[in-house]
DNA sequence: CTAATGGTTCGGCCCAAACCGAAGCGTCCA
DNA sequence: TGGACGCTTCGGTTTGGGCCGAACCATTAG
């Protein structure tokens, strides 16, 4: 009898849209910081902080402090399995799907995720970099990749010396696939922006493609 | 962006204590009426009616009218699996642990999970079927397995034609290992029940072993 | 040291939804 | 045909909690 409310407690934690987006983002298996989760969930840092506290209290995530950063990850595979079970229900009988959601097509096409590209364009960039051999499947730069990044003015060795990981896979909530995050993801974004190949729409997370020809040529 | 992953919608449905109690009651696999569910959840009929409408709208339960009665059941095994996954999280890290009531040991030993065996016996069945070669490690029936299932009156080809997957691994929340679900899991349960090898304890999810000799002999 | 950055806490606003009483439908039986 | 029964719908109240602005700690950089 008492187990009813207990599963309700856990389900309630997953049931908030912002928290569900956080947990979905954490499904990639990588630890994320509180700020990154806030961006991923589309809420402010202080709101995210409260959500994280509740998730931690409920045992769904665990946190680790490293300096002034708090890294958050799913607390175990059982949590991931539960989320997958929920996704399966959604998939099997979802009359109102999120994938072709007509809400904000531009957001789904290209947006900024913290400091790197996300959306369909972000996923495409990620896949293409691996496809043309600039990155290996586990996101390590290859010699040709180093040359190509250097041609964009990106100093890979300097990025590698930074504390931040060079490359990280970030799960895209609209595409449900990974895009490129980390120092290189951020560097590529600014490189594209400096060349006016892309531009941020001020006040939103939306990213516009200004020079598709140059962008796609670089991806050949 | 506002409408993130739909898993939040499903989780919210499970996240209300009254609805969680209803769903837990339905885990036994029997259809219940709206009034019975109201008693089970400890709320009035009209409140229960609203909850049932929401659960039906969300696709978690299906209803059937028979005269002036409305019978409600879980809409599928995927819902039961999700609930079991949630129970496993609760079981593993629940702060307010459910009192180890008198029913607990029997529940852990053998219980029904929607329509198939769970608990220690369920896990044992799963492992044994693989061990004696009736199923492969990825849960495909072998020729000797087909013969053995046929001897129990189970029509595997008919089950394979059904929409439901024939064999499915379902994570057991008390054993933390997988037991056998899917069409075959359900068919085995009814076959054992028909032969009076096992019996359900009415009003609960507990399953009693009535003829252990016959049951274990079949598993040789 | 000060400044910048990551994270948390506090206070107040606001809304979704859970709840019940009462009334409204159907369905079944005498 | 009237009445009992099962269930749903409607109104109105209440509350939990999600959200943000602002202020507050902690760590690192300069």
């Amino acid at each position: 009898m008492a187990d009813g409310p207990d599963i309700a407690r856990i389900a309630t934690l997953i049931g908030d849209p912002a928290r569900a987006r956080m947990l979905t983002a954490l499904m990639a298996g990588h630890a994320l910081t509180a700020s990154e989760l806030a961006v991923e969930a589309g809420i402010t840092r202080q709101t995210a902080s409260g959500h994280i506290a509740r998730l931690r209290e409920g045992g769904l995530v665990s946190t680790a402090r490293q300096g002034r950063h708090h890294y958050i990850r799913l607390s175990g595979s059982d949590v991931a399995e539960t989320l997958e079970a929920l996704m399966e229900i959604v998939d099997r009988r979802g009359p109102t799907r999120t994938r072709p959601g007509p809400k904000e097509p531009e957001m789904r096409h290209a947006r900024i995720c913290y400091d790197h590209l996300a959306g369909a364009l972000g996923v495409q960039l990620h896949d293409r970099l691996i496809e043309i051999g600039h990155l290996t499947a586990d996101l390590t730069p290859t010699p040709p990749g180093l040359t190509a990044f250097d041609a964009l003015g990106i100093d890979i060795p300097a990025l590698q010396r930074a504390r931040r990981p060079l490359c990280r896979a970030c799960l895209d909530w609209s595409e449900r696939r990974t895009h490129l995050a980390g120092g290189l993801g951020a560097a590529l974004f600014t490189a594209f922006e400096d060349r006016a190949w892309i531009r941020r729409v001020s006040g939103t997370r939306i990213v516009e493609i200004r020079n598709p020809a140059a962008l796609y040529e670089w991806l050949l």
Side-chain angles (χ1 to χ4, degrees), chain A:
Chain A
M1 148 128 156
D3 71 340
D6 270 355
I7 73 166
R9 261 188 64 249
I10 305 297
T12 297
L13 287 175
I14 308 173
D16 176 77
R19 284 195 294 262
R21 282 193 286 267
M22 289 179 172
L23 292 169
T24 304
L26 290 171
M27 285 279 286
H30 292 117
L32 296 176
T33 66
S35 297
E36 286 171 326
L37 282 178
V39 173
E40 206 68 37
I43 53 180
T44 60
R45 288 203 304 279
Q46 61 268 30
T47 302
S49 176
H51 283 312
I52 291 164
R54 294 198 63 187
L55 289 173
R56 186 181 45 221
E57 193 179 344
L60 295 191
V61 304
S62 57
T63 63
R65 264 179 62 185
Q66 259 182 35
R68 54 183 169 182
H69 295 268
H70 285 199
Y71 285 101
I72 294 123
R73 66 178 67 235
L74 293 187
S75 65
S77 59
D78 52 347
V79 178
E81 281 157 20
T82 302
L83 293 171
E84 277 178 9
L86 282 166
M87 287 177 186
E88 201 180 332
I89 291 183
V90 171
D91 259 14
R92 197 169 304 186
R93 71 196 82 217
T96 58
R97 301 186 166 212
T98 60
R99 281 295 289 277
K103 199 69 175 186
E104 295 194 42
E106 309 108 306
M107 278 284 279
R108 291 176 189 279
H109 179 242
R111 66 178 178 277
I112 191 167
C113 168
Y114 191 54
D115 59 4
H116 55 268
L117 262 182
L121 184 61
V123 171
Q124 196 183 346
L125 173 67
H126 168 271
D127 292 353
R128 193 75 188 127
L129 284 175
I130 295 172
E131 199 178 336
I132 62 182
H134 286 178
L135 295 176
T136 65
D138 62 349
L139 301 183
T140 310
T142 61
L146 291 174
T147 307
F149 298 136
D150 188 65
L152 279 180
I154 297 174
D155 187 355
I156 295 285
L159 289 175
Q160 279 172 329
R161 281 193 300 274
R163 202 162 326 181
R164 180 176 190 188
L166 179 66
C167 289
R168 219 191 53 226
C170 179
L171 192 64
D172 197 290
W173 64 260
S174 61
E175 295 293 309
R176 294 273 169 86
R177 297 174 54 198
T178 55
H179 58 244
L180 183 65
L184 180 58
L188 281 172
F189 184 87
T190 43
F192 294 161
E193 206 176 19
D194 288 346
R195 281 163 182 72
W197 294 355
I198 59 177
R199 193 183 66 173
R200 302 192 52 178
V201 179
S202 65
T204 73
R205 292 172 59 195
I206 295 171
V207 170
E208 275 180 2
I209 304 183
R210 304 286 292 174
N211 192 338
L215 184 58
Y216 290 122
E217 189 184 352
W218 188 80
L219 286 174
L220 286 183

